[in-house]
Amino acid sequence: MKARTFWLVFAHEARVLIADRTLPLVLTLFALLIGYAITNGIVEIRARDAAVASILTKQNERNARNIDQLQRINAGIETPAPFSNAADPANVGGGLGGRFAYVPTSALAPMAFGQSDMIPNYYQVTYRSRVNFMYDSEIENPWNLLSGRFDVAFVIVYLLPLFIFAMSYNLLSAEREQGTLRMLLSQPLTLTKLVLAKVSIRAGTILTCAILIPVAALLIFRPETRDAVSLVQLAAWAVLVCAYGLFWFAVAVIANAFSRSSAANALVLVGSWVVLVLIVPVLLNLAVSVASPAPSRTELATQTRLITVDGLRRYQKLFSADYRYSDKPDLLLPKDGRFEVQSRPKAAFMLQRDVEADIQKLLDRFDAQLEGQQSLVDRWGVISPAIIVHEGLAALAGNGSQRYLHFQRQVATFHATWKQFFEPRILESRAMTEADFAAMPTWKWQEETLRRQLSDLSVRAIQILALVLVVAGIGFWRLKKSSAV
Amino acid sequence: MLEALNVSKDFGANRALDKVTLRVKPGEIYCLLGANGAGKTTLINLFLDFIEPTSGEVRINGRKVADDPLSTKRDIAYIPEQVMLYGVLSGIENLKYFAALATGERHSREQLLALLTEAGLPEAAADGRVSTYSKGMRQKVGIAIALAKNAKALLLDEPTSGLDPKAASEFSQLLAKARDRGVAVLTTTHDLFHAKQTGTRIGIMKQGRLVADLSSQDLSHTDLETLYLQHMAA
C-alpha cells in the first residue's frame, strides 16, 4: 500500500507535468544545452588530440631528418647550416631536437575542460630554463578564463540547479495555492511521501537526461570510454552528478517546507544559487589569495630578467666571440667523435643552466604556493557544492588541477633528465652520434593511478553526499512541521 | 463516530476553539452553524489532522487522530467549500487519482463514470479539463471522490456554498443516502434552511465555543433562526 501510494503520486505528477508542458519544455531545453556542451567538448578534444598527434608526427619527422642529416654529415656529403646541425649537441638539445612533453587527453576529457583552459597540455622541452617555457605566458583569452568554457561540467554545475528550480520551486506551494494540498492530505498520504514522489519524478527525468546524453555521446563517439577504467569513471561521474542534483532538490524541499508563496520560493532558491555557486567560490578565491598569496608572475619575470642580465654579463666574452665557422666552415663538421661547440651556443646553454639554477628557489616557491592554494581550495571547497562537484568532474575528465600538477612535476623531471643528457656533450664538445639519438630521453607520461583518482573522488563524493543528507534532513524535518493549511 | 472531547486550539494568543465537545454518531448528520471565525473549519481541520489540538482529544471511530492519522483518514471523506482539482486534467482523471489515493485500488472507467453520474456530473463532461468546470461541477467531482472512498464518516466544510438550488437539493439527497447507510456526517454551513432540512442535529458555535447542541426534530425553521440570532447577538 505504501509503495503503491508513492507510485500513484509519481505517475500522477508525471501526467500533470506533461499536461502543463513543464516537463517537455524543461527537458528539451536542458537536453539541447547538454547536447551542445558534449558536442562542443568532443570537437574541442578531437582538435586537441589532433594537435598533439600533429606535433608528435612533426617531432618524429624532424628526428628522422636529424638522423638522416647526421648520416650525411658523417658520410661527408653534407655541410650543415650553423643552427640546424644534427651533429651539434647545443642545436639538438635546443630547438632542433627538443622533445614534446604532453599530457594525453583522458577518455572523459570532453566532459570538462577544467585546467586545460589555464595550462598548456604540451611543452617543447629543451635545455632552456623551465621559466622560459612553462611560466612564460598566459595562453588563453582572458574572457574565457573569466566565464569558463561551455562544457558539460559548466552545464551541470551552473545551469542544472536553475533547471531544477524551474521544476521544483513550487513543489508544494503550487498545491497549496491551487487548493489541492488539502484534498491530497485528506487522503491517507503523508506530506513526506508526497514530496518524495514529486522530487523523484523530477529528479529521475532531469538527472537521467544530465547523465545519459553525455555518457551515450561519449560511448558512441569516443571508443576509448568503453574500457573498464573509463566505465568506472563514468559511474563515478554519474554519482557526482546525481548527488549534486539531489543537493539542489533538497534545497528546493527546504524552500517549500516553509509554506511561503511560489514567488518567494523562487526568490529564495535563486538567492541560494547566487550565494553557493557564484559568491562563495569568489569569496573562497579571495580568502585563499589572502591566506596563501598567488605567486607573482611579475616578480618571476623581473627576477628572470635580472638573472639573465647577470648571466649575460658573466658570459659576456663568450657571447661577444665571433662565429668562427663563417670563415672556417669545417668547424661545422664533427671530427673523431668531437664537435667544437661554438662560444655563443655554449654561452647560451650555460646562461640557461644558470638561470634555471638561480631561479629554482623562486620556481619552487611558485610551485609550492600553487599547490598550497590548491590544497586550501580542496580543504575549504566543501563550503560550496559547486566547488566540490566542479573539481570532481574536472578530475574525472583528466583536466583537474591535481593531474596538471602531476604533469608539471613530470615535465620538470623530464627537463632535468634532458639537460643532464646534453650538458656533458655540450660542455665537453662531444659530437652527436646515431647512438646518442637512440639514447636521447623520451617523454613517457605516467598516468595517475586509478586508485589515487578514486580515493580523491571518494572524498568529494562523500563531501557532496554528506551535504545532501544534511540539507535533505533539514528539509524533511521542516516538512514534518509543515501543514496543509 | 466522530468525537471532539474538550478540544481547545490556540493560534498564538488567539483561542480558536475553547473546550469543544461534540459527538457525531453513525447515521447522524451534524450541522455546525456559526459566524465566520467561529471555529467551524478549525474543528474540521483537527479531524483531518491538518492541525493538532492544543488540548483535548479528537477521535474517529474511537481512535485518536494524533496517534495514527493515516489510519483515521482512511475512515473519512472530506469535501471542502471549494473543491480544488488539477485543472490540466479531466474530471475523470482527477477522480481516478484521488479515488486510488483514497482506497489504494484501481477503478475502471465504468466505475469512475458511475461515481460521477451518481454525484450528478453529466457523463459528457467527465473528459473535459477541470479548468473549464464551474464550481458546482468541481464540487460534484469532490462528491464522487467521497463516494469512491465509501467512508464511515464525512467531513463537509460549507459544501453547498455557491451551488445552485437544484444542485444543493441533489446534494442534500446524497447526504440523506449516506446517513441511511450509517455514515456519520459533520458539516459546517451558514445556511439555516439547509441545516434544518438535512441535519439530524445542529450545533451553534460562537467565538470558539459550542454554545448550542440541538436535535433538529425539536426545532422549527423559525425556532432555529430565532435561536441562532439570539446566540449571535449575545
Side-chain angles (χ1 to χ4, degrees):
Chain A
M1 174 72 181
K2 283 179 180 175
R4 186 173 154 68
T5 309
F6 174 88
W7 289 114
L8 259 174
V9 179
F10 184 92
H12 166 77
E13 277 298 309
R15 204 174 299 127
V16 170
L17 287 170
I18 291 168
D20 71 9
R21 299 195 185 131
T22 302
L23 207 55
L25 197 70
V26 169
L27 291 185
T28 305
L29 194 55
F30 186 73
L32 284 174
L33 285 172
I34 207 151
Y36 172 68
I38 189 64
T39 308
N40 200 23
I42 289 172
V43 169
E44 170 75 21
I45 295 304
R46 275 187 183 164
R48 200 171 290 173
D49 284 341
V52 169
S54 162
I55 58 165
L56 291 181
T57 305
K58 282 180 184 159
Q59 173 178 283
N60 292 338
E61 287 169 359
R62 198 179 53 202
N63 194 52
R65 272 202 309 273
N66 286 343
I67 294 171
D68 196 37
Q69 187 193 33
L70 184 65
Q71 286 169 345
R72 287 200 306 275
I73 292 169
N74 287 338
I77 54 176
E78 180 177 331
T79 302
F83 299 107
S84 56
N85 186 347
D88 183 348
N91 277 186
V92 178
L96 189 65
R99 292 284 157 98
F100 285 98
Y102 63 96
V103 54
T105 55
S106 292
L108 274 64
M111 294 285 217
F113 296 137
Q115 292 293 311
S116 64
D117 267 359
M118 305 278 290
I119 304 169
N121 60 328
Y122 65 84
Y123 300 109
Q124 190 184 19
V125 177
T126 67
Y127 64 66
R128 296 181 72 215
S129 166
R130 276 187 300 140
V131 76
N132 288 320
F133 69 87
M134 281 177 76
Y135 299 83
D136 55 343
S137 63
E138 295 287 350
I139 50 124
E140 184 52 274
N141 174 349
W143 177 246
N144 277 349
L145 293 180
L146 185 68
S147 60
R149 298 283 192 86
F150 198 89
D151 56 8
V152 178
F154 171 77
V155 175
I156 299 291
V157 173
Y158 290 88
L159 304 185
L160 176 64
L162 298 176
F163 280 88
I164 289 174
F165 295 163
M167 295 173 97
S168 55
Y169 75 100
N170 59 355
L171 211 57
L172 272 184
S173 54
E175 300 275 11
R176 195 172 273 119
E177 284 160 4
Q178 71 195 19
T180 41
L181 191 60
R182 288 180 71 91
M183 290 294 290
L184 284 170
L185 296 183
S186 68
Q187 311 304 339
L189 170 69
T190 61
L191 203 52
T192 305
K193 188 173 287 178
L194 175 70
V195 170
L196 263 180
K198 279 170 162 278
V199 167
S200 298
I201 177 68
R202 287 161 172 83
T205 49
I206 198 155
L207 293 181
T208 301
C209 207
I211 291 164
L212 267 194
I213 292 175
V215 168
L218 281 191
L219 289 172
I220 294 168
F221 297 109
R222 208 164 155 79
E224 52 267 57
T225 51
R226 295 176 204 157
D227 65 30
V229 171
S230 301
L231 290 176
V232 169
Q233 289 173 329
L234 284 174
W237 168 277
V239 168
L240 272 184
V241 173
C242 275
Y244 187 62
L246 290 178
F247 170 83
W248 290 109
F249 274 112
V251 172
V253 170
I254 291 185
N256 275 275
F258 280 90
S259 308
R260 282 182 294 242
S261 68
S262 297
N265 287 349
L267 205 63
V268 166
L269 289 174
V270 171
S272 69
W273 178 84
V274 169
V275 170
L276 292 175
V277 177
L278 301 182
I279 295 178
V280 169
V282 170
L283 290 180
L284 182 65
N285 260 342
L286 289 175
V288 163
S289 304
V290 171
S292 173
S296 163
R297 282 185 184 273
T298 313
E299 186 189 350
L300 188 66
T302 307
Q303 283 298 320
T304 306
R305 280 176 198 150
L306 290 174
I307 291 166
T308 307
V309 168
D310 274 353
L312 284 170
R313 278 201 202 107
R314 197 178 313 135
Y315 300 115
Q316 198 172 7
K317 280 190 179 170
L318 288 173
F319 276 115
S320 314
D322 288 334
Y323 286 110
R324 289 159 55 217
Y325 49 70
S326 48
D327 53 354
K328 292 182 182 170
D330 282 359
L331 288 174
L332 293 168
L333 300 172
K335 270 185 196 159
D336 304 325
R338 295 190 61 76
F339 179 88
E340 189 183 338
V341 177
Q342 298 294 297
S343 314
R344 289 174 70 109
K346 196 179 276 182
F349 172 79
M350 290 192 290
L351 173 66
Q352 289 296 322
R353 185 190 60 184
D354 293 358
V355 167
E356 180 87 0
D358 291 348
I359 207 79
Q360 190 60 48
K361 263 190 187 167
L362 199 56
L363 287 185
D364 288 345
R365 190 156 65 84
F366 204 87
D367 290 344
Q369 279 176 307
L370 276 179
E371 293 206 25
Q373 283 194 335
Q374 187 55 46
S375 80
L376 276 176
V377 170
D378 285 345
R379 194 177 313 149
W380 292 102
V382 71
I383 59 174
S384 164
I387 297 175
I388 300 173
V389 172
H390 197 268
E391 294 276 317
L393 297 183
L396 272 171
N399 290 322
S401 38
Q402 290 300 342
R403 190 165 183 254
Y404 271 84
L405 288 172
H406 182 60
F407 170 52
Q408 293 193 321
R409 283 192 289 266
Q410 285 187 63
V411 173
T413 307
F414 179 63
H415 180 242
T417 312
W418 183 265
K419 284 193 307 175
Q420 277 166 17
F421 182 83
F422 283 98
E423 184 166 1
R425 286 168 175 78
I426 294 171
L427 297 183
E428 296 164 17
S429 290
R430 281 155 49 183
M432 290 296 290
T433 63
E434 283 187 55
D436 286 340
F437 272 94
M440 266 162 57
T442 48
W443 168 253
K444 273 188 193 144
W445 164 253
Q446 296 288 322
E447 187 59 89
E448 289 179 300
T449 60
L450 182 65
R451 195 176 190 178
R452 192 215 170 303
Q453 285 178 38
L454 288 181
S455 96
D456 183 46
L457 278 167
S458 307
V459 172
R460 293 187 199 285
I462 289 168
Q463 286 174 339
I464 187 77
L465 286 169
L467 276 178
V468 172
L469 285 177
V470 169
V471 177
I474 294 171
F476 282 100
W477 169 77
R478 187 67 190 79
L479 212 54
K480 285 195 171 167
K481 292 173 163 278
S482 194
S483 87
V485 292
Chain B
M1 177 166 359
L2 299 167
E3 293 171 288
L5 306 171
N6 210 23
V7 170
S8 296
K9 176 66 188 175
D10 296 336
F11 292 107
N14 293 332
R15 174 147 284 204
L17 284 180
D18 190 7
K19 295 177 183 167
V20 171
T21 295
L22 67 79
R23 287 186 180 81
V24 186
K25 293 176 191 159
E28 269 188 351
I29 298 176
Y30 195 112
C31 292
L32 264 183
L33 295 170
N36 290 331
K40 305 184 297 292
T41 301
T42 303
L43 190 61
I44 297 265
N45 286 342
L46 285 167
F47 279 109
L48 289 165
D49 192 47
F50 289 171
I51 49 176
E52 288 177 6
T54 307
S55 64
E57 277 181 16
V58 182
R59 291 173 175 270
I60 294 173
N61 291 332
R63 281 167 296 161
K64 251 176 91 174
V65 170
D67 288 349
D68 190 358
L70 283 189
S71 161
T72 55
K73 279 180 189 177
R74 286 195 185 96
D75 287 349
I76 54 171
Y78 165 63
I79 301 176
E81 180 186 356
Q82 297 212 29
V83 172
M84 301 310 292
L85 303 163
Y86 295 96
V88 291
L89 302 182
S90 66
I92 199 165
E93 284 172 328
N94 270 284
L95 173 59
K96 186 180 176 185
Y97 175 50
F98 281 105
L101 270 182
T103 62
E105 290 166 14
R106 193 184 290 268
H107 294 73
S108 68
R109 181 175 168 83
E110 289 69 30
Q111 287 172 313
L112 295 170
L113 283 173
L115 287 165
L116 287 172
T117 308
E118 189 180 349
L121 189 79
E123 196 173 321
D127 289 310
R129 274 196 168 196
V130 163
S131 56
T132 63
Y133 280 18
S134 66
K135 182 188 173 188
M137 290 165 85
R138 290 202 311 273
Q139 213 71 1
K140 285 168 184 171
V141 178
I143 294 166
I145 294 168
L147 289 172
K149 201 165 181 179
N150 199 18
K152 292 173 187 167
L154 269 177
L155 296 167
L156 312 170
D157 195 1
E158 300 181 27
T160 54
S161 152
L163 289 188
D164 61 61
K166 182 171 173 285
S169 164
E170 286 168 359
F171 185 72
S172 296
Q173 287 169 22
L174 281 170
L175 278 191
K177 277 189 195 170
R179 180 198 60 206
D180 295 344
R181 286 202 311 271
V183 175
V185 180
L186 174 62
T187 176
T188 70
T189 182
H190 291 294
D191 184 346
L192 301 185
F193 179 79
H194 170 75
K196 173 69 188 84
Q197 197 179 36
T198 56
T200 52
R201 286 175 61 216
I202 295 170
I204 300 175
M205 289 195 74
K206 187 183 177 188
Q207 292 172 350
R209 285 184 296 118
L210 189 65
V211 292
D213 187 352
L214 314 155
S215 165
S216 68
Q217 281 177 341
D218 305 336
L219 288 167
S220 69
H221 285 306
T222 319
D223 291 340
L224 178 58
E225 189 172 353
T226 309
L227 197 61
Y228 180 75
L229 290 174
Q230 277 174 1
H231 278 297
M232 292 302 110

